[in-house]
Structures are given as structure tokens and as C-alpha cells.
Amino acid sequence: KNSKHLQAVKVVNELLEIRHDDEYLLQQLALHTYKSADPDELTALINGSNIINKLDPDNSNNPETTGIAGAIFKRIFAISQNHDDIDKAIRYYQRGFVLKKDYYNGENLATCYRIKSGALSLEDDKVFFARLARETSKEVMLRIKEVLDSDNFMERKDKRWVYATAANMHNYLGNSFEFKR
């Protein structure tokens, strides 16, 4: 909560001494390692990648694992501008979105498609990835609407993230009235 990622890394490592292969703990270690930016952002991202790879995100059926892997490679791409990195992020977010159909993986998948579109030079490729971003954004909005219309929405702990994702999707889709609302 307070972004004390280096402290979290220490605590999670201590817990891993007791529960060596705990999937949740490895996810948390990867997350806090990459977010720590220690000793620098790229090294922390690579270290986080090495940790999450222990959970085999290419074949994982855990959307948290694929989501963390996607986040790491999306951030590595921002530094490297290596298309292999954004392609990995897309692959991981796609897997997570197929598995869970959740707004987190969906929004990030749409964002990665937009990033990929903007990084390409061939117009046909740009249009293709822009279209994927738009279609994914529409699908995310359908999921968001289901969440907003659910009977238990007001009890959810992630309400602000649901609203933030809805705003982002409306913005991406050019729905300025809904975005502002």
C-alpha cells in the first residue's frame, strides 16, 4: 500500500524460506522486485522476470502470474523498445484475459495493442493492432458493464479500479461524455 517494495521483498524472501515453492509468494516476490526499481528500473524488471519465469507464465493458467509477467514486459519494452518485449506482454495479457475475462488483463491487453500499433512503421500493421486495441476495449467495456450492473458491486473492494478502467476504455473508444462522467 505504501510502495515499500524493498521491505516487501525482504519479508517475502523470509516467507519463501518456509514455503519454498508457494505460487502466491513467488508472484509477490516478482511484483515487489520489479516495482522496487532497485538497483535500477531495468535490472529490477529483469530480476522480476527471472522470478515470475519460475511459474512458467507461457503455460500458466493463473491470471495473476500472466498479469505480472505482462506488466514486467510492458515496462521492459518502454525502456528497450524491443518488439519482442511488447509481444511477450501481449501474449501474457492475452492468456490472462482468455482465462479470466477480467478488466485488468483486458485493459492492459488493449493498451499493449495500442503501444504496438504506435511502435510499428508499416501502415497496415499499425491499423491491424489499432483495430485489435479497439475491439479488445469494446470487449472490456462489456465486462465492466456486467461488473457495474452486478448486485454486489457496491461491496467490491476494487470499485475505484472498475471506474478507472471504465473511464480509460471510454477515453480510448472516443466516448468523451462517458469518459468525463
Side-chain angles (χ1 to χ4, degrees):
K1 180 178 178 182
N2 295 321
S3 297
K4 295 182 179 181
H5 300 293
L6 285 176
Q7 287 178 306
V9 165
K10 182 180 181 215
V11 170
V12 173
N13 271 320
E14 290 171 1
L15 292 169
L16 278 164
E17 288 177 18
I18 300 165
R19 299 185 69 177
H20 307 288
D21 296 323
D22 187 289
E23 184 176 26
Y24 174 76
L25 292 176
L26 286 168
Q27 290 167 344
Q28 293 305 300
L29 183 60
L31 175 79
H32 291 293
T33 297
Y34 93 73
K35 286 190 171 196
S36 75
D38 182 60
D40 59 75
E41 186 176 6
L42 183 57
T43 302
L45 287 162
I46 291 168
N47 291 340
S49 171
N50 291 335
I51 295 164
I52 205 69
N53 281 339
K54 293 176 184 177
L55 298 174
D56 191 17
D58 288 316
N59 297 301
S60 176
N61 289 327
N62 187 315
E64 185 68 18
T65 296
T66 60
I68 291 169
I72 289 169
F73 281 97
K74 181 172 71 171
R75 286 165 177 80
I76 290 175
F77 174 78
I79 296 168
S80 73
Q81 295 300 299
N82 181 330
H83 286 267
D84 290 342
D85 296 324
I86 196 65
D87 291 342
K88 284 180 185 177
I90 287 169
R91 188 170 62 246
Y92 295 136
Y93 283 130
Q94 278 176 332
R95 188 167 182 85
F97 192 50
V98 166
L99 289 167
K100 196 170 180 186
K101 293 291 185 192
D102 63 327
Y103 65 86
Y104 169 82
N105 283 292
E107 178 182 13
N108 281 292
L109 176 58
T111 298
C112 286
Y113 284 146
R114 276 191 265 310
I115 291 168
K116 177 83 173 178
S117 175
L120 294 168
S121 55
L122 293 177
E123 194 58 34
D124 286 349
D125 294 340
K126 286 177 161 296
V127 169
F128 175 76
F129 280 96
R131 179 64 184 223
L132 285 174
R134 184 167 180 73
E135 293 305 313
T136 302
S137 297
K138 287 179 182 177
E139 190 171 345
V140 171
M141 279 309 305
L142 292 174
R143 304 291 173 217
I144 289 287
K145 184 167 177 13
E146 290 172 4
V147 171
L148 290 170
D149 292 343
S150 67
D151 292 336
N152 68 335
F153 177 70
M154 294 313 292
E155 287 84 48
R156 290 180 68 120
K157 293 179 181 177
D158 63 345
K159 286 189 296 287
R160 71 182 178 122
W161 295 113
V162 173
Y163 288 132
T165 300
N168 284 336
M169 293 298 100
H170 282 304
N171 187 40
Y172 294 150
L173 294 169
N175 303 330
S176 59
F177 174 79
E178 289 297 323
F179 167 69
K180 290 176 185 174
R181 186 174 70 83

